């Protein structure tokens, strides 16, 4: 069946599903809005607003993810832990885009594979929390749940869930997306001009030499091909960039769930590639119920407490037809646990013969607190979890098809280690995240380079694999 036939086959409609059928299931991590009428009026407004992405972009991404499942592409997914409304600003957005473009250049060059580029942005505004409330000095208030829901300041007024923030989040997502699209369409990602996306660090970083050599060799290859063919190599100025966020606040996601002309079924048009977080991944929970019915490619975080049976049931519910590109598992075990926890899951899915894309998130299993009170992650653990994951997949006969990272294009000091060997004492210099610690631009590039080194070692070890 070719893809267009598949799109027209309405029998694929998931049984007993509607954009609001999640409401009959236990919905974890939802705020309690104090004013039901205000909530209804915000949702009514949201349902009228234009979508942020289109169904054909969603299908194009699904096709690329299907290729990643077959080992023909590598997924790079990255961005902030939590976007904030005040970070919707040109410098921050373009720097984040720059670091993702630089990393993808390193990966394309080193892995000899096209990269699927997906940002954690233009909608990453809702955060799961370990507790519903927070107590400071004897005062207890609702937890901050991301800018989509309330504000981070520790005051009663700031913490009240405000449904108007959904309208604001939609607008900020649209502005972010519009700016990213304009940059890309205007030639920002042009391979003839990698200097467009240079960040300041290129002038002084310990990694700069290696990166510059790569840029020079790509430039030589492009010019060589152009000389041979006597004309410009086309498409080097055009790339695809997709968006993703955690589909956590279900009333918001429902408001942007739409039907489109000439397609059967429903689409989440707030983002290309929504994912389900670890805390809301129960197979009979509201989040799985909601996402099983939309036609987007979807991802689900897999933590150390998931067992093989649960994983297979998730596949049954989320991808019953074994559709290529549909389902991604993002494992996030932590460097200390991955060798124990991952192999039984890989083995179960492989034995079952199901199609999934395996991606490693080396951030969320490696969070720790320093003695001076910062939430941080050690670079060696982040790199270690990715490297171990490559080996564990190779041993299980499966394939690691991508990475999911929290990163920024700024010179922050939130994760320790890396080429500059940041210590706990460095954290206070430039710690800006309101939620989880991100890799800074240099640590991000270093991860991309270590992925390439690891892959090349593996290819040398088993050249016919
Ligand atoms: C996140 O991606 O920011 C997150 C909260 O991850 P997880 O659901 O894996 O804990
Ligand atoms: Co996070």
């Amino acid at each position: 069946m070719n893809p267009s036939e598949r799109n027209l086959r309405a029998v694929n409609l998931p049984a007993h599903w509607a954009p609001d059928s999640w409401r009959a299931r236990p919905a974890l991590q939802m705020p309690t809005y104090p004013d039901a009428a205000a909530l209804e009026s915000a949702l009514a407004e949201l349902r009228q607003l234009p979508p942020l992405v289109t169904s054909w972009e969603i299908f194009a991404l699904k096709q690329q993810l299907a290729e990643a499942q077959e080992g023909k592409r590598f997924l790079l997914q990255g961005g902030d832990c939590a976007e904030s409304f005040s970070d919707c600003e040109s410098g921050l957005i373009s720097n984040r885009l720059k670091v993702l473009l630089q990393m993808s250049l390193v990966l394309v060059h080193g892995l000899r594979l096209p990269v699927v580029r997906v940002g954690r942005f233009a909608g990453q505004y809702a955060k799961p929390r370990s507790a519903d409330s927070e107590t400071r000095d004897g005062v207890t208030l609702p937890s901050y749940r991301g800018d989509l829901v309330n504000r981070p300041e520790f005051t009663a007024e700031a913490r009240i869930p405000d449904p108007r923030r959904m309208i604001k989040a939609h607008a900020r997502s649209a502005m972010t997306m519009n700016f990213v699209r304009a940059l890309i369409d205007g030639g920002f990602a042009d391979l003839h001009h990698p200097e467009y996306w240079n960040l300041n660090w290129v002038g002084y970083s310990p990694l700069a030499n290696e990166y510059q050599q790569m840029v020079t060799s790509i430039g030589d290859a492009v010019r060589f091909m152009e000389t041979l063919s006597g004309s410009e190599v086309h498409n080097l100025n055009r790339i695809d960039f997709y968006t993703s966020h955690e589909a956590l606040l279900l009333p918001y996601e429902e408001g942007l769930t739409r039907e489109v002309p000439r397609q059967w079924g429903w689409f989440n048009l707030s983002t290309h590639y929504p994912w389900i977080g670890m805390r809301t991944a129960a197979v009979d929970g509201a989040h799985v119920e909601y996402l099983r019915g939309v036609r987007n490619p979807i991802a689900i975080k897999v933590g150390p407490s998931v067992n093989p049976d649960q994983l297979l049931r998730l596949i049954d519910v989320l991808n019953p037809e074994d559709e290529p590109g549909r389902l991604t598992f993002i494992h996030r075990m932590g460097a200390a646990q991955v060798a124990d926890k991952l192999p039984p899951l890989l083995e179960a899915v492989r034995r079952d013969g199901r199609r999934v894309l395996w991606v490693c998130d080396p951030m969320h299993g490696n969070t720790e607190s320093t003695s001076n009170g910062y939430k941080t992650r050690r670079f060696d653990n982040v790199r270690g979890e990715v490297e171990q994951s490559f080996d564990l997949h190779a041993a299980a006969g499966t394939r690691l098809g991508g990475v999911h990272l929290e990163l920024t294009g700024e010179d922050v000091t939130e994760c320790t280690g890396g080429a500059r060997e940041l210590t706990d004492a460095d954290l206070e210099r430039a710690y800006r995240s309101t939620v989880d610690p991100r890799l800074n631009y240099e640590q991000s590039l270093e991860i991309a380079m270590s992925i390439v080194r690891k892959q090349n070692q593996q290819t040398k070890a088993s050249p016919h694999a």
Side-chain angles (χ1 to χ4, degrees):
M1 186 171 29
N2 70 36
S4 57
E5 282 174 292
R6 181 165 201 124
N7 293 343
L8 292 171
R9 218 170 58 127
V11 290
N12 286 359
L13 264 179
H16 315 298
W17 184 91
D20 65 353
S21 55
W22 62 270
R23 291 176 185 271
R25 302 289 182 93
L28 302 184
Q29 299 283 341
M30 291 298 130
T32 310
Y33 288 100
D35 182 343
L39 174 62
E40 199 28 63
S41 118
L43 289 175
E45 186 172 336
L46 194 62
R47 286 193 286 269
Q48 297 301 316
L49 290 171
L52 298 170
V53 302
T54 63
S55 61
W56 54 88
E57 291 169 335
I58 286 173
F59 286 131
L61 173 61
K62 207 188 245 182
Q63 174 60 34
Q64 292 196 8
L65 294 171
E67 289 165 19
Q69 286 174 336
E70 293 172 10
K72 296 181 185 149
R73 285 179 183 269
F74 192 80
L75 171 71
L76 172 65
Q77 185 175 21
D80 283 328
C81 179
E83 287 179 283
S84 68
F85 290 169
S86 60
D87 284 354
C88 184
E89 184 263 312
S90 67
L92 291 173
I93 296 170
S94 58
N95 280 354
R96 194 171 41 208
L97 200 60
K98 285 176 184 180
V99 80
L100 286 167
L101 286 171
Q102 289 183 334
M103 291 174 81
S104 74
L105 187 73
V106 170
L107 293 171
V108 168
H109 182 256
L111 303 180
R112 306 268 184 263
L113 281 180
V115 168
V116 190
R117 301 169 192 84
V118 178
R120 266 180 79 113
F121 56 55
Q124 177 51 18
Y125 289 116
K127 295 309 298 173
R129 303 314 306 244
S130 41
D132 285 343
S133 61
E134 182 184 346
T135 301
R136 287 190 205 173
D137 302 327
V139 179
T140 299
L141 295 176
S143 294
Y144 169 59
R145 292 185 177 279
D147 277 13
L148 186 53
V149 175
N150 55 4
R151 302 205 312 274
E153 300 92 85
F154 194 73
T155 66
E157 198 257 322
R159 294 295 176 89
I160 298 172
D162 175 2
R164 300 298 308 168
R165 299 185 76 81
M166 289 191 271
I167 307 299
K168 202 162 175 184
H170 173 274
R172 299 280 154 140
S173 302
M175 288 177 222
T176 304
M177 193 98 79
N178 180 57
F179 186 47
V180 170
R181 289 193 204 280
L183 285 172
I184 299 282
D185 288 349
F188 185 70
D190 190 342
L191 260 188
H192 297 92
H193 294 285
E195 73 277 8
Y196 289 175
W197 15 293
N198 265 356
L199 287 152
N200 294 340
W201 67 271
V202 169
Y204 58 79
S205 165
L207 303 173
N209 260 347
E210 197 173 340
Y211 178 73
Q212 281 301 4
Q213 276 172 15
M214 194 177 317
V215 169
T216 309
S217 104
I218 292 170
D220 288 348
V222 168
R223 275 184 295 278
F224 176 68
M225 278 159 64
E226 289 181 341
T227 309
L228 264 190
S229 69
S231 64
E232 277 220 352
V233 179
H234 291 292
N235 291 329
L236 290 182
N237 55 351
R238 280 281 313 134
I239 58 150
D240 299 318
F241 223 106
Y242 298 99
T243 62
S244 66
H245 67 245
E246 179 172 349
L248 184 66
L249 186 67
L250 294 176
Y252 177 80
E253 304 300 335
E254 182 193 321
L256 287 161
T257 303
R258 309 282 170 84
E259 290 176 296
V260 303
R262 288 177 293 284
Q263 294 289 350
W264 63 266
W266 295 82
F267 295 81
N268 181 322
L269 297 183
S270 77
T271 190
H272 300 112
Y273 191 16
W275 81 82
I276 304 179
M278 185 185 74
R279 292 164 190 78
T280 49
V283 72
D284 47 6
H287 293 79
V288 168
E289 170 60 19
Y290 167 71
L291 278 172
R292 100 185 152 87
V294 296
R295 297 192 60 198
N296 304 56
I298 58 172
I300 185 156
K301 294 284 199 94
V302 178
S305 68
V306 175
N307 65 41
D309 270 1
Q310 289 167 326
L311 208 65
L312 296 179
R313 282 179 63 211
L314 283 169
I315 300 179
D316 288 341
V317 172
L318 293 171
N319 194 18
E321 301 214 13
D322 201 30
E323 186 194 359
R326 160 72 172 170
L327 185 59
T328 301
F329 283 137
I330 305 172
H331 50 80
R332 34 88 80 223
M333 304 294 177
Q337 294 204 72
V338 65
D340 259 0
K341 303 288 181 183
L342 187 59
L345 303 180
L346 301 182
E347 174 57 23
V349 175
R350 192 189 55 77
R351 221 180 319 118
D352 212 43
R354 300 301 195 86
R355 224 186 301 246
V356 302
L357 177 64
W358 290 105
V359 170
C360 173
D361 163 0
M363 314 300 296
H364 289 90
N366 291 312
T367 315
E368 54 188 295
S369 292
T370 63
S371 52
N372 48 353
Y374 285 101
K375 212 175 173 190
T376 190
R377 291 162 174 154
R378 293 180 215 203
F379 184 81
D380 282 348
N381 288 338
V382 173
R383 182 179 51 202
E385 185 167 351
V386 178
E387 291 180 350
Q388 287 186 67
S389 297
F390 272 108
D391 289 338
L392 295 167
H393 278 277
T398 50
R399 192 182 287 112
L400 183 63
V403 285
H404 179 116
L405 302 165
E406 288 187 345
L407 54 81
T408 166
E410 307 304 304
D411 182 14
V412 298
T413 55
E414 297 173 5
C415 294
T416 57
R420 256 166 228 277
E421 299 179 355
L422 296 179
T423 63
D424 287 4
D426 289 315
L427 295 179
E428 64 183 25
R429 182 154 56 78
Y431 196 104
R432 303 211 192 107
S433 174
T434 48
V435 192
D436 287 341
R438 302 160 294 178
L439 299 171
N440 64 23
Y441 54 71
E442 228 167 49
Q443 292 166 329
S444 302
L445 249 284
E446 210 175 337
I447 283 289
M449 289 175 180
S450 76
I451 290 171
V452 167
R453 263 181 232 121
K454 185 72 197 171
Q455 258 286 33
N456 290 344
Q457 270 170 17
Q458 272 193 346
T459 322
K460 274 197 203 112
S462 54
H464 305 297

